Amino acid sequence: MKEAGQTMIAALGILSARWLDLLVGANQILLGVGSLIVVWFTVYNLYLRNKKLREDFKNHKK
């Protein structure tokens, strides 16, 4: 009975380690996707601001 309990605990330990690995992997994927969204948003906003400034500069010269 004691050995069966030990193997169950070992199996649960392996399962929890796998779940932990999955959670850490999902966390890293979410962080990567979030950082990509932030970078894209920043670059896009800079592009729009630069485009608007260029248009304002062209209109101001006339």
Side-chain angles (χ1 to χ4, degrees):
M1 191 68 183
K2 187 178 178 185
E3 292 171 1
Q6 285 177 345
T7 53
M8 279 178 56
I9 290 172
L12 283 175
I14 291 169
L15 283 176
S16 64
R18 288 238 173 107
W19 273 111
L20 192 63
D21 286 346
L22 281 174
L23 286 174
V24 168
N27 193 21
Q28 287 178 341
I29 289 170
L30 285 175
L31 281 172
V33 168
S35 60
L36 280 176
I37 289 172
V38 167
V39 167
W40 178 83
F41 187 72
T42 306
V43 169
Y44 187 64
N45 272 336
L46 286 173
Y47 165 75
L48 287 180
R49 182 186 296 168
N50 197 9
K51 185 174 156 189
K52 185 178 182 318
L53 284 173
R54 262 190 267 126
E55 287 173 2
D56 289 348
F57 187 67
K58 280 183 193 172
N59 293 336
H60 183 67
K61 284 170 94 174
K62 289 181 181 176

